Amino acid sequence: MQAQADSTAERTALWRAMHVQVDAAPHVVVDEIGLALADPGDDWTSRPDMDPVGTRPFRAAMVSRARFIEDLVVEHVDRGVAQYVILGSGLDTFAQRRPEIASRIQVFEVDQPEHQDWKRQRLIALGYGVPDWLHLVPVDFQTNADWWEQLLIAGFDPKRPAVVASAGVTMYLTKDVTAETLRRLAGLALGSTVAMTFLIPTELLDDADRSGLQASTEGARSSGTPFVSFYTPQEMLGIARDEGLVGARHVSGTELGERYFADRIDGLRPSSGENFLVANT
């Protein structure tokens, strides 16, 4: 059993915490629970990947995508949707930060079995526990296990609409796997919504963000988890439509910056590299 969080999930959680600790208010998302779960040690802020200046656009991207998904979930819960699925949940803390919303629905967090065992222990150790509306769904992606089957076993009702989010995952998967995932999601109950992030090719980035994406790509490769797929917005929208989703729209990193950072005077903005696909059934 793993003794710590997956490195990618941990880095994302620490950047969310750094946003609270380093960046000026107002904060896009207030999340230090992920930091407590990861328990990285007192010297975590001295790590090279936690440089407060060099990581500004990346931590801004992490909090903007978390806020975007959270706003989407809250909007749909208010409309009566009662299921929320997180594919590749990592150190997501929506259930702990927003229990007044999460406790009204069924939340399904899908990730590797060893990660889910570890996270369950950490949630219990920190006093959050695992309430009956929170389902930590273990799926061994390395053996091509069927995540849909495991989701059903965990209690997901395919006849009821859901919000499904997948953030920070598609760059690690082949395009065929992502297309298959979208095909499966197109079969969700009418009224469901899918929000999925993807990385755009370097040549489509704002000039200021190109070196950062190149560094991230090299870092992912050296850590053994290389980025294998990039998409133009038109390509991702086309795949979603081809696989049966409707109303597909593109939300750019620049648009997220305008939405959540427009009134800031410190210049904090998310990288333009990560974009969203949002589509319906």
Side-chain angles (χ1 to χ4, degrees), residues 42-65:
D42 295 338
D43 62 345
W44 68 274
T45 56
S46 65
R47 288 170 28 172
D49 60 349
M50 292 295 127
D51 176 74
V53 176
T55 64
R56 292 181 87 232
F58 302 113
R59 67 175 180 267
M62 294 305 99
V63 297
S64 64
R65 83 180 186 192

Side-chain angles (χ1 to χ4, degrees), residues 55-123:
T55 64
R56 292 181 87 232
F58 302 113
R59 67 175 180 267
M62 294 305 99
V63 297
S64 64
R65 83 180 186 192
R67 175 64 180 275
F68 179 78
I69 292 172
E70 189 167 308
D71 287 350
L72 195 68
V73 171
V74 172
E75 174 188 345
H76 283 76
V77 169
D78 287 343
R79 294 179 182 175
V81 174
Q83 298 185 111
Y84 173 34
V85 180
I86 311 169
L87 298 178
S89 54
L91 287 173
D92 190 275
T93 61
F94 173 77
Q96 292 76 46
R97 290 184 297 103
R98 300 296 304 274
E100 78 284 2
I101 300 294
S103 62
R104 295 163 51 191
I105 62 177
Q106 298 295 305
V107 180
F108 299 87
E109 297 189 6
V110 180
D111 216 318
Q112 295 279 8
E114 63 274 15
H115 174 85
Q116 300 298 60
D117 289 343
W118 171 86
K119 188 174 184 181
R120 182 182 300 276
Q121 291 188 15
R122 292 297 298 149
L123 287 171

Side-chain angles (χ1 to χ4, degrees), residues 162-235:
V163 174
V164 180
S166 175
V169 176
T170 59
M171 69 279 281
Y172 301 110
L173 306 176
T174 66
K175 294 186 176 183
D176 286 344
V177 170
T178 294
E180 171 59 32
T181 299
L182 291 172
R183 187 178 312 134
R184 178 79 77 170
L185 295 175
L188 291 169
L190 187 66
S192 296
T193 299
V194 175
M196 176 179 284
T197 67
F198 61 95
L199 290 183
I200 61 175
T202 304
E203 60 269 20
L204 296 183
L205 287 176
D206 295 342
D207 291 343
D209 294 331
R210 289 180 183 174
S211 62
L213 178 60
Q214 291 170 348
S216 296
T217 302
E218 293 168 3
R221 184 183 301 112
S222 64
S223 66
T225 54
F227 297 162
V228 298
S229 296
F230 297 82
Y231 301 83
T232 66
Q234 294 76 14
E235 180 183 13

